[in-house]
Amino acid sequence: MCGVLGCFSKSGSEISKKYFEEINSGLDMLHHRGPDNKSIISSSNNSLLLGHRRLAIIDLTPDSNQPFTKNKNKYLSFNGEIYNYKEIASQFFSKERLRTNSDTEILYEILLKDPELIRYLEGMYAGCFYDGESIHLFRDPLGIKPIYYYEDNELVFFSSSLKVIKELNIASSLSISEVAKCSFILNGHLDQGMTPYNEVHEVKPGSIMSFSPNGKKYSRIIEESYLIFDTTKDNSLSFTEIIDNTVKKHLVSDVPIALMYSAGLDSNLLAKSVSRFSDVNAFSLGFESFKDSPNDEIPLASNIANEEGYKLSYRYLSNNEVLDNTDQYLENLDTLSIDGFNTWMVSKFISEKGFKVAISGAGGDEIFIGYANFVYLKWMKKFIDLIPKFPRYLISKLVPKNDLRNRKISSAINANSLKDLYFIKRSLFDLKLLSNYFDEENIDIIYSKFLKHKTDSIQLLSKENNINVSNLEYHFYCRNQLVKDADWASMSHSLELRIPLVDKVFFKQAVAFRNQNSLRNKFKYYSLYNPTLNSNLFDRSKTGFSVPLLNLIGGSNDYVTNYRALLDEVFFKVTGEKI
């Protein structure tokens, strides 16, 4: 896991020396992403400056430092890990003389040979490859790792960090995107493809964005992630084999790996699987304000860890300790998100214990029917399919509009599709809240653009409603919030966070398994794992790993008041402007 930063001349001309200092300063800002090495190179014609910060995890020798090159005018700088790099080496480069034992060299050879071959990679990655003339910005199909870019008439500036683009004197006159602001207010995060600024963009997941020295740019899609959920392949693997395959793959490392652990099913499923291949180094956080309440997971987590033989480290934080860390958390925010504080805090705890890598159980709810949304959307979809639109309109008029819950119910009754139902259900607020942030005459226009962006970004191809809901849950919640927060929040502490239950091969195998084994919920699926998980995990309701941040920042007992306070605080910290 690392940090990428660079600048490219769209005309192929020499880049001014002043930009070297900017890139150098930017790499200092990225120190937390890679404290083990810092390097900058320039191309032979000085049309490219490419910088890298390294967090050494695979092949710890200097030979694998980046920007990586083997012929002095073709360079690679990327952030992430390729888990199947040894298999790729055997398949495509068995006759090549490789000089390292790293995934970096294999990715370099792939991009040198044929960039289309990145479809064979299994991992999380985003970065830049320079082929001697053009730059190619690339990103994994699930969008686990970010890569942002800004361009003007002369330059393309790209980075793993949105904040670096904003802070340096290369990107000037950034303007707030009203559609992105709408997304943040309604979701608490940004939808895929959005940044807070009109002039800064994300590279689309599963694509390569190329910039040539003649000023031309083009993007090509290598893999569309939503197609992963349309698999019709037969499955021959057991549930246990599917889980163990993805966990074992995510344990590829030359340094020890920690586990973010709780009393939940997901982290215990991973712990059980990890224990087959290595020791389990588990870490949990508790909060003094949750002690002796259902939200305190430490007692059960500790009991299970003792029974299973896991090495568990945990601590309780007081409200004052949470508040003491809030300022630094807000300073580390790299994108608009009201979540991520939990991941940030646990990552800090793990990093302080000397670990560089951890794994998380995020993704399990999305792929194995862990949310109540699955049941709600199933019945609401049947309702709107059964009742014609006009009678539903009349029914909606009977619903009181006195609170958010009822207004969302009324909107759901009028929905036209599963997508509509999902967006209504997942949104934290409705149009009424927008009136506090936009002029009345612009709300409908901005909201329509926001909704079109969401609707156009995905296709639902499965015949199974629950598979389509998994597709929606991954693409609009897990990827846009949980996965994106996992990157910046963990890397704020120089910790690489891996997510075995967010993996393209795993998704395909899990969807194929579900097509053949239609079970009611996550409890039913996880009970198939052999050896069985601790029985206490199945006797409790889902709580999630929560942090008392909303009340602490808002200082009120009113949810809307606290939510708006958090929106205001986050938006100002990220953009420097009031929302």
Side-chain angles (χ1 to χ4, degrees):
M1 192 74 73
C2 307
V4 177
L5 182 61
C7 187
F8 178 69
S9 169
K10 294 165 68 174
S11 66
S13 59
E14 183 174 336
I15 293 176
S16 170
K17 291 182 179 179
K18 68 177 182 179
Y19 291 120
F20 182 90
E21 294 303 320
E22 291 293 325
I23 298 296
N24 191 47
S25 297
L27 287 175
D28 290 339
M29 293 174 60
L30 288 175
H31 178 270
H32 56 281
R33 280 190 168 268
D36 295 330
N37 184 255
K38 169 188 172 183
S39 299
I40 310 175
I41 61 90
S42 60
S43 59
S44 58
N45 62 357
N46 295 315
S47 65
L48 170 72
L49 290 173
L50 185 58
H52 190 83
R53 273 286 188 179
R54 185 184 183 197
L55 183 66
I57 291 170
I58 294 177
D59 188 351
L60 309 183
T61 69
D63 291 341
S64 291
N65 287 345
Q66 299 180 50
F68 185 88
T69 185
K70 293 174 81 171
N71 73 0
K72 299 303 181 184
N73 202 37
K74 292 179 173 63
Y75 296 95
L76 168 66
S77 176
F78 91 104
N79 165 33
E81 302 291 351
I82 312 300
Y83 303 124
N84 66 331
Y85 73 98
K86 292 182 179 179
E87 292 81 358
I88 293 290
S90 298
Q91 183 176 357
F92 294 105
F93 307 110
S94 59
K95 296 181 180 179
E96 297 286 339
R97 184 174 181 179
L98 302 175
R99 72 184 197 197
T100 73
N101 294 309
S102 71
D103 56 340
T104 300
E105 184 174 11
I106 299 306
L107 179 55
Y108 177 90
E109 293 289 351
I110 281 276
L111 293 168
L112 199 61
K113 182 182 181 72
D114 180 3
E116 294 278 338
L117 293 177
I118 65 171
R119 69 176 68 251
Y120 292 99
L121 301 181
E122 298 173 23
M124 52 181 184
Y125 50 86
C128 173
F129 179 68
Y130 176 67
D131 64 9
E133 293 184 355
S134 304
I135 62 167
H136 308 280
L137 306 180
F138 56 90
R139 193 176 178 201
D140 66 78
L142 293 180
I144 301 174
K145 295 290 104 184
I147 187 79
Y148 303 96
Y149 68 94
Y150 162 88
E151 60 175 319
D152 57 24
N153 293 331
E154 299 177 357
L155 299 173
V156 180
F157 179 56
F158 51 91
S159 177
S160 301
S161 167
L162 182 68
K163 179 182 286 188
V164 169
I165 292 179
K166 175 184 177 292
E167 294 296 328
L168 295 185
N169 294 320
I170 294 179
S172 59
S173 303
L174 296 181
S175 60
I176 298 296
S177 165
E178 297 292 271
V179 178
K181 186 165 79 170
C182 175
S183 175
F184 176 54
I185 293 167
L186 294 180
N187 297 329
H189 60 259
L190 295 182
D191 283 289
Q192 183 64 47
M194 292 184 182
T195 77
Y197 311 108
N198 291 307
E199 299 81 9
V200 182
H201 311 281
E202 280 187 324
V203 174
K204 181 180 172 65
S207 75
I208 300 176
M209 172 69 76
S210 300
F211 294 87
S212 301
N214 58 9
K216 293 182 179 180
K217 70 175 180 180
Y218 61 94
S219 178
R220 49 184 158 160
I221 302 296
I222 307 300
E223 293 182 276
E224 284 279 17
S225 57
Y226 67 80
L227 294 176
I228 293 171
F229 292 84
D230 187 41
T231 182
T232 56
K233 291 183 178 179
D234 292 334
N235 172 69
S236 61
L237 299 175
S238 69
F239 180 80
T240 301
E241 288 172 323
I242 292 171
I243 298 301
D244 285 350
N245 286 347
T246 191
V247 168
K248 182 179 180 181
K249 178 170 63 179
H250 283 76
L251 294 177
V252 173
S253 173
D254 290 331
V255 297
I257 297 179
L259 169 68
M260 292 185 174
Y261 187 68
S262 70
L265 280 170
D266 298 314
S267 62
N268 275 279
L269 177 70
L270 294 187
K272 198 81 166 181
S273 182
V274 169
S275 68
R276 293 184 162 200
F277 309 107
S278 71
D279 295 334
V280 177
N281 298 298
F283 290 82
S284 294
L285 281 184
F287 300 91
E288 295 285 355
S289 59
F290 289 165
K291 268 191 173 181
D292 301 320
S293 79
N295 285 326
D296 183 10
E297 298 196 347
I298 293 295
L300 180 56
S302 181
N303 288 339
I304 294 174
N306 286 335
E307 290 179 19
E308 299 290 345
Y310 308 150
K311 181 181 179 182
L312 175 63
S313 301
Y314 69 87
R315 61 173 299 204
Y316 281 95
L317 297 175
S318 67
N319 282 351
N320 285 336
E321 287 178 294
V322 173
L323 280 173
D324 288 343
N325 281 280
T326 299
D327 287 343
Q328 188 58 51
Y329 155 75
L330 291 170
E331 288 297 326
N332 289 155
L333 272 168
D334 198 65
T335 186
L336 294 176
S337 174
I338 63 166
D339 206 357
F341 188 59
N342 48 0
T343 303
W344 187 91
M345 288 295 299
V346 180
S347 296
K348 182 175 186 287
F349 181 35
I350 294 173
S351 178
E352 288 172 348
K353 296 298 183 179
F355 285 84
K356 286 184 175 183
V357 185
I359 60 175
S360 158
D365 288 316
E366 288 76 10
I367 198 64
F368 288 120
I369 318 179
Y371 295 130
N373 283 353
F374 283 89
V375 175
Y376 170 84
L377 292 169
K378 171 186 175 181
W379 292 109
M380 282 303 298
K381 181 65 166 63
K382 288 184 176 182
F383 173 77
I384 67 172
D385 288 345
L386 182 65
I387 308 298
K389 189 171 181 61
F390 185 67
R392 286 192 282 118
Y393 170 75
L394 295 178
I395 294 171
S396 73
K397 289 296 183 181
L398 300 176
V399 179
K401 309 298 191 298
N402 57 318
D403 60 26
L404 174 66
R405 179 177 178 272
N406 285 336
R407 291 195 301 272
K408 291 180 73 171
I409 289 173
S410 178
S411 296
I413 290 171
N414 284 309
N416 296 316
S417 67
L418 179 62
K419 283 184 186 180
D420 291 346
L421 287 169
Y422 178 79
F423 296 151
I424 294 166
K425 179 63 176 174
R426 262 299 179 188
S427 63
L428 299 179
F429 278 94
D430 61 358
L431 287 175
K432 185 175 181 180
L433 183 68
L434 293 180
S435 62
N436 294 293
Y437 299 98
F438 300 101
D439 296 333
E440 288 291 340
E441 62 268 22
N442 293 327
I443 287 179
D444 288 342
I445 296 172
I446 294 170
Y447 182 74
S448 295
K449 290 180 179 179
F450 158 72
L451 203 57
K452 186 177 189 304
H453 178 93
K454 291 177 80 80
T455 303
D456 291 350
S457 65
I458 191 173
Q459 296 182 46
L460 302 178
L461 303 174
S462 176
K463 296 179 181 179
E464 297 295 326
N465 187 75
N466 271 345
I467 298 295
N468 285 330
V469 176
S470 285
N471 198 344
L472 290 165
E473 285 287 8
Y474 176 71
H475 284 93
F476 292 104
Y477 177 62
C478 187
R479 180 176 69 177
N480 293 347
Q481 183 143 55
L482 302 182
V483 170
K484 188 173 287 188
D485 287 340
D487 175 73
W488 70 262
S490 63
M491 290 305 292
S492 296
H493 304 290
S494 305
L495 182 77
E496 173 179 287
L497 187 55
R498 300 177 177 184
I499 316 175
L501 303 184
V502 176
D503 176 90
K504 69 176 184 181
V505 174
F506 165 72
F507 274 176
K508 290 176 182 177
Q509 293 174 350
V511 169
F513 185 86
R514 281 178 55 186
N515 283 337
Q516 293 176 337
N517 302 271
S518 183
L519 303 181
R520 190 172 64 196
N521 55 36
K522 189 169 77 171
F523 287 81
K524 297 296 184 182
Y525 282 108
Y526 282 29
S527 67
L528 298 176
Y529 190 81
N530 185 26
T532 57
L533 303 184
N534 190 291
S535 60
N536 291 318
L537 296 167
F538 298 93
D539 297 331
R540 59 194 297 273
S541 59
K542 177 179 175 61
T543 59
F545 176 65
S546 55
V547 179
L549 180 64
L550 197 63
N551 292 346
L552 290 174
I553 286 185
S556 169
N557 292 323
D558 178 60
Y559 174 77
V560 176
T561 300
N562 291 339
Y563 180 75
R564 291 190 62 187
L566 186 55
L567 286 178
D568 294 345
E569 188 75 24
V570 168
F571 194 86
F572 182 76
K573 284 294 185 181
V574 172
T575 69
E577 299 187 23
K578 292 183 178 181
I579 194 169

